[in-house]
Amino acid sequence: MVAQLCDSAVSVGREMIEVSKNETRWRDITAQMLHAWNDGMASLRSVKGGLRFERLSADIEAAALPEPQQPPRQEKVGRSVLLARARHS
């Protein structure tokens, strides 16, 4: 089942690469998503020693997709910017 999921991810990933060639506005999102999928597939292990799941590394490299961008660091950890400010009366 896991092998089938990986095969599907690779198949859809290749389709996304083709679409991103024509729709340049999707290129960054495609790159982020495919790198995440590839990292997930790379972390999988099989109980059968020699079985390796197919990955998107070669396709990502051939398409020259950019490396994933890291989100900007927050100054304060644990404090949401969406919380209301405390009122001082």
Side-chain angles (χ1 to χ4, degrees), residues 10-29:
V10 169
S11 177
V12 171
R14 288 176 179 156
E15 290 176 20
M16 292 174 61
I17 288 170
E18 288 304 312
V19 170
S20 73
K21 289 178 182 177
N22 297 324
E23 293 289 338
T24 55
R25 62 187 171 167
W26 292 101
R27 189 166 173 80
D28 290 334
I29 293 294

